[in-house]
């Protein structure tokens, strides 16, 4: 598939980005109003989370009509205008396609429920093991069983996510054809690409059996026909020249290499999540464990090397609408807020792959840290609270876990300015705005060349201008360093050395030979030349081939 080293994607969580109508909910018109900001930032593509007709129990990841726009987000005319206006600014639009499941309000599912056996084949309806016992022991990702009983049919249906999201049966050719026609519809609208939600979960096993060791994911992740189904979709819909990215939860490197091989016929890139599980105790998102920078470094290095050796392409990302804010998670919300946000950005976005920047990350937006349950809107967070308290946690403990792990941490409205509604909406926002918009906001950062926003802009510009950053070889240096992530990007004309202290302590690093070249980016004045880095200090050094540089020592 085509390589996208020169692309930089910005993720818009539509509900919280910009409200063009004053309803308190972001919308397509609001996105149009902010296209100049995105152009200023220097991105090439915009991924917009689902805005299709939906009852929104999972904020649009529960679709009832894949080819119509939910009126609260706008109209098809608004969408056409967005495509045109984005194109004028050199920005392509990527749509979010949720094909693992539909809403249970979708007409297909409604027909299935009413007894239509043709549409029952669109989903997974199965008899229980015995009365009252679901077909397998699998858990829903949002808690509880992955099966819901329908008394009228005396069968259970599969929902890997909430009860309102029924899994589609991709083994049914008619389902795959229906999906293909949805894609063709949007291709005619001149979109630039697609993000496929949990695409590695769509091929379910032939036999549904209990998972002896886990929650079921080993039974349905990277299933038996997954590569075949993706190839079919790509071939039938002519997706080869589009930017296609698959969300791969709990997947393995080997499969990701096949999904996103540069010589293959599947996707242009994948989201792999291992680096964002580094602070899960025993893989459990709701059990907090302090992250060890060295573990984070090893995971990132393993994926960089693996995808490079496998000639496949990865995405580079720290956050999205399902993850806490990165500066709160791996950086510092206090004294080193700015330095840590910059160091983390340089560490990630100069790697080999395509950057995906989640809205507000470029401003250093922090977790919401809600202190009451009633502030939460996310179905997963509310369920998690119930589960945590039913397991014996106090309400205070459960809220503390949510304040670090809830998806709503990153879903608060985009902080455009310091006015009461942060310039997000003239209406009452659907979810509370972080009070720190008084000092963390786009308007202020745009005026400050030392801001996190400008740092992101510089990183993206560097990527856009450098073939080495886009496609050069990745190589890690000083691999046992517990605090500093240090790597090189090696190209025909130059070599970049990226040195990032990921701790709030002073740290040292070691290089095989003295560092030559010019410091082209640094997040402190007077970058150190002695190998001693200040808290969260980072530098990017460029050495041109054949040039006579002074040695930094
Ligand atoms: O997410 C899938 C996924 O596996 C997650 O990141 C999930 O939200 C997390 O594991 C829960 O702990 C995608 C979407 O990005 C997410 O917003 C949807 O809720 C989900 O699929 C269902 O469509």
């Amino acid at each position: 598939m085509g390589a996208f080293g020169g692309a930089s994607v910005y993720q818009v969580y539509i509900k919280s980005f910009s409200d063009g109508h004053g309803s308190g909910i972001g919308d397509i018109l609001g996105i149009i109003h902010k296209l100049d900001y995105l152009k200023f930032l220097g991105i090439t593509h915009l991924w917009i989370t689902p805005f299709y007709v939906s009852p929104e129990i999972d904020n649009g990841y529960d679709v009832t009509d894949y080819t119509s726009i939910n009126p609260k987000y706008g109209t098809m005319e608004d969408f056409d205008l967005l495509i045109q206006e984005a194109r004028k600014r050199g920005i392509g639009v990527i749509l979010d396609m949720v094909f693992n499941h539909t809403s249970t309000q979708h007409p297909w599912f409604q027909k299935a429920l009413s007894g239509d056996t043709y549409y029952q084949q669109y989903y997974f309806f199965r008899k229980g093991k015995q009365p009252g016992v679901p077909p397998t022991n699998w858990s829903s990702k949002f808690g509880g069983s992955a099966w819901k009983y329908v008394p009228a049919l005396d069968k259970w249906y599969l929902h890997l996510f909430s009860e309102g999201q029924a899994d589609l049966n991709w083994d049914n050719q008619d389902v795959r054809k229906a999906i293909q026609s949805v894609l063709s519809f949007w291709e005619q609208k001149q979109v630039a690409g697609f993000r496929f939600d949990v695409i590695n979960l769509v091929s379910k096993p032939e036999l549904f059996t209990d998972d002896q060791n886990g929650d079921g994911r080993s039974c349905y992740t990277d299933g038996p026909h997954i590569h075949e189904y993706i190839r079919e979709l790509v071939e039938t819909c002519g997706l080869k020249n589009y930017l296609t990215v698959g969300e791969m939860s709990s997947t393995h490197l080997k499969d990701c290499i096949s999904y996103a091989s540069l010589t293959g016929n599947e996707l242009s890139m994948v989201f792999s999540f291992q680096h964002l599980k580094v602070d899960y105790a025993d893989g459990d998102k709701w059990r907090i464990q302090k992250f060890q920078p060295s573990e984070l470094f090893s995971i990132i290095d393993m994926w960089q090397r693996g995808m490079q050796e496998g000639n496949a392409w990865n995405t580079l990302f720290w956050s999205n609408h399902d993850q806490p804010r990165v500066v709160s998670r791996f950086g510092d919300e206090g004294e080193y807020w700015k330095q840590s946000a910059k160091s983390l950005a340089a560490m990630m976005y100069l790697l080999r792959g395509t950057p995906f920047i989640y809205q507000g990350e470029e401003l250093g937006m922090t977790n919401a840290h809600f202190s009451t349950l009633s502030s939460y809107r996310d179905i997963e967070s509310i369920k998690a609270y119930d589960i945590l308290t039913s397991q014996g946690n106090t309400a205070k403990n459960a809220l503390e876990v949510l304040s670090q792990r809830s998806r709503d941490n990153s879903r608060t409205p985009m902080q455009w300015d310091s006015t009461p509604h942060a310039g997000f909406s003239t209406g009452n926002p659907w979810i509370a705005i972080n009070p720190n918009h008084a000092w963390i906001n786009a308007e202020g950062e745009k005026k400050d060349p030392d801001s996190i926003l400008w740092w992101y802009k510089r990183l993206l510009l560097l990527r856009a201008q450098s073939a080495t950053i886009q496609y050069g070889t990745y190589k890690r240096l000083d691999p046992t360093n517990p605090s500093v992530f240090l790597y090189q990007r090696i190209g025909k004309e130059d070599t970049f050395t990226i040195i990032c202290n990921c701790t709030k302590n002073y740290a040292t690093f070691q290089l095989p030979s003295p560092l030559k070249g010019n410091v082209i980016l640094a997040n402190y004045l007077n970058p150190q030349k002695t190998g001693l880095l200040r808290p969260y200090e980072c530098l990017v050094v460029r050495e041109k081939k054949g040039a006579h540089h002074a040695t930094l020592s």
Side-chain angles (χ1 to χ4, degrees):
M1 298 297 286
F4 284 91
S8 300
V9 186
Y10 188 87
Q11 183 193 350
V12 162
Y13 192 65
I14 186 167
K15 208 167 179 175
S16 299
F17 187 63
S18 170
D19 174 8
H21 291 96
S23 63
I25 290 173
D27 51 32
I28 296 173
L29 188 62
I31 303 176
I32 296 173
H33 292 161
K34 300 299 181 188
L35 286 171
D36 285 335
Y37 169 83
L38 298 177
K39 187 171 158 56
F40 162 84
L41 182 58
I43 54 117
T44 59
H45 293 78
L46 183 62
W47 151 30
I48 310 173
T49 54
F51 46 68
Y52 320 106
V53 178
S54 157
E56 297 239 313
I57 56 162
D58 187 18
N59 285 351
Y61 284 90
D62 46 327
V63 180
T64 52
D65 182 349
Y66 288 104
T67 53
S68 299
I69 291 175
N70 187 334
K72 71 185 191 192
Y73 295 126
T75 61
M76 201 53 92
E77 287 69 42
D78 292 344
F79 180 77
D80 291 337
L81 183 64
L82 170 68
I83 294 280
Q84 274 175 36
E85 291 297 319
R87 176 170 295 175
K88 278 187 203 160
R89 293 162 178 86
I91 297 172
V93 173
I94 297 174
L95 294 188
D96 204 328
M97 292 289 149
V98 191
F99 292 140
N100 175 66
H101 42 264
T102 69
S103 162
T104 49
Q105 304 292 314
H106 194 290
W108 300 337
F109 193 81
Q110 288 296 311
K111 285 184 194 153
L113 276 190
S114 69
D116 185 329
T117 52
Y118 174 76
Y119 283 103
Q120 285 170 4
Q121 301 306 314
Y122 269 47
Y123 299 91
F124 296 102
F125 285 92
R126 294 285 185 277
K127 286 276 185 204
K129 274 189 219 156
Q130 47 182 289
V133 181
T136 68
N137 64 352
W138 303 352
S139 307
S140 148
K141 305 256 184 201
F142 294 159
S145 170
W147 298 92
K148 167 94 175 156
Y149 184 59
V150 183
L153 302 175
D154 186 26
K155 282 188 177 156
W156 303 68
Y157 70 85
L158 179 67
H159 62 90
L160 294 183
F161 293 87
S162 77
E163 282 175 24
Q165 294 162 295
D167 280 56
L168 280 168
N169 175 10
W170 278 58
D171 297 328
N172 179 342
Q173 204 185 1
D174 288 356
V175 168
R176 303 202 304 278
K177 284 204 173 127
I179 288 169
Q180 288 158 16
S181 52
V182 172
L183 287 175
S184 306
F185 174 88
W186 292 109
E187 286 179 82
Q188 282 162 23
K189 294 269 170 199
Q190 310 282 307
V191 301
F194 299 99
R195 177 252 187 197
F196 294 107
D197 193 60
V198 289
I199 192 73
N200 63 329
L201 308 186
V202 304
S203 171
K204 305 296 191 289
E206 260 160 51
L207 288 177
F208 288 83
T209 52
D210 278 351
D211 184 353
Q212 304 304 336
N213 306 310
D215 61 3
R217 70 185 66 190
S218 64
C219 304
Y220 55 72
T221 304
D222 304 321
H225 301 288
I226 185 64
H227 294 289
E228 171 193 329
Y229 290 161
I230 293 180
R231 283 197 290 268
E232 179 189 74
L233 203 64
V234 168
E235 166 81 31
T236 331
C237 298
L239 293 179
K240 270 202 142 190
N241 295 321
Y242 286 78
L243 190 161
T244 50
V245 52
E247 188 198 24
M248 305 295 173
S249 61
S250 312
T251 204
H252 298 290
L253 179 59
K254 183 176 114 328
D255 280 291
C256 281
I257 291 173
S258 320
Y259 290 130
S261 164
L262 289 169
T263 52
N265 296 311
E266 298 186 29
L267 303 171
S268 11
M269 62 193 87
V270 287
F271 290 117
S272 61
F273 288 88
Q274 262 78 344
H275 64 299
L276 297 181
K277 296 187 176 171
V278 68
D279 51 1
Y280 292 5
D282 298 325
D284 181 350
K285 164 171 177 169
W286 304 105
R287 284 184 50 218
I288 295 185
Q289 167 178 287
K290 211 171 158 327
F291 95 99
Q292 296 298 332
S294 57
E295 270 176 50
L296 185 64
F297 302 163
S298 303
I299 299 170
I300 290 176
D301 177 56
M302 195 270 274
W303 279 84
Q304 281 287 303
R305 277 186 294 116
M307 294 299 268
Q308 178 165 277
E309 283 159 20
N311 196 24
W313 201 250
N314 215 348
T315 57
L316 308 171
F317 71 106
W318 277 130
S319 54
N320 62 30
H321 61 294
D322 296 330
Q323 301 288 333
R325 290 286 179 183
V326 64
V327 73
S328 305
R329 186 177 191 177
F330 299 136
D332 179 44
E333 287 184 347
E335 191 181 348
Y336 300 113
W337 166 72
K338 193 190 277 187
Q339 287 90 342
S340 64
K342 288 181 177 179
S343 187
L344 286 163
M347 173 176 165
M348 180 60 77
Y349 299 124
L350 300 178
L351 288 167
R352 178 180 177 278
T354 298
F356 276 68
I357 292 159
Y358 178 62
Q359 65 183 44
E361 185 193 309
E362 78 281 13
L363 305 175
M365 276 179 65
T366 63
N367 279 351
H369 293 308
F370 292 139
S371 56
T372 58
L373 187 63
S374 60
S375 304
Y376 287 95
R377 300 285 175 271
D378 171 31
I379 181 170
E380 183 195 43
S381 309
I382 294 165
K383 282 196 172 215
Y385 177 87
D386 290 342
I387 295 171
L388 286 166
T389 48
S390 73
Q391 287 168 345
N393 288 283
T394 60
K396 189 167 171 273
N397 283 347
L399 284 172
E400 173 52 33
V401 175
L402 289 194
S403 89
Q404 291 192 45
R405 291 294 153 85
S406 165
R407 306 194 294 183
D408 280 343
N409 279 309
S410 59
R411 295 179 179 185
T412 59
M414 178 74 178
Q415 296 173 193
W416 294 106
D417 61 33
S418 60
T419 58
H421 290 174
F424 161 68
S425 172
T426 52
N428 211 12
W430 70 280
I431 188 169
I433 292 174
N434 195 318
N436 66 18
H437 74 276
W439 64 93
I440 301 178
N441 63 64
E443 191 184 57
E445 294 200 26
K446 216 171 161 185
K447 289 183 200 144
D448 173 10
D450 185 44
S451 63
I452 298 170
L453 176 61
W454 272 88
W455 180 264
Y456 270 75
K457 181 176 165 62
R458 286 192 194 105
L459 288 176
L460 296 186
L461 187 65
L462 178 57
R463 272 204 90 89
Q465 293 177 341
S466 165
T468 301
I469 298 292
Q470 291 178 19
Y471 296 110
T473 303
Y474 160 86
K475 185 180 169 199
R476 186 176 178 192
L477 300 178
D478 200 8
T480 55
N481 195 315
S483 312
V484 181
F485 190 67
L486 215 156
Y487 66 97
Q488 286 186 319
R489 300 297 311 282
I490 304 161
K492 286 200 189 92
E493 290 174 0
D494 48 13
T495 294
F496 290 84
T497 305
I498 297 102
I499 306 167
C500 303
N501 179 4
C502 288
T503 71
K504 55 171 71 170
N505 303 316
Y506 280 76
T508 55
F509 59 90
Q510 285 181 345
L511 291 165
S513 55
L515 195 56
K516 285 192 227 143
N518 300 323
V519 177
I520 56 160
L521 273 175
N523 65 346
Y524 276 84
L525 287 176
N526 308 318
Q528 299 280 323
K529 296 179 179 174
T530 57
L532 183 68
L533 296 167
R534 288 162 279 186
Y536 294 104
E537 180 161 12
C538 75
L539 4 155
V540 179
V541 178
R542 177 176 180 225
E543 183 191 350
K544 281 195 203 156
K545 291 258 156 78
H548 294 288
H549 295 286
T551 301
L552 298 181
S553 61

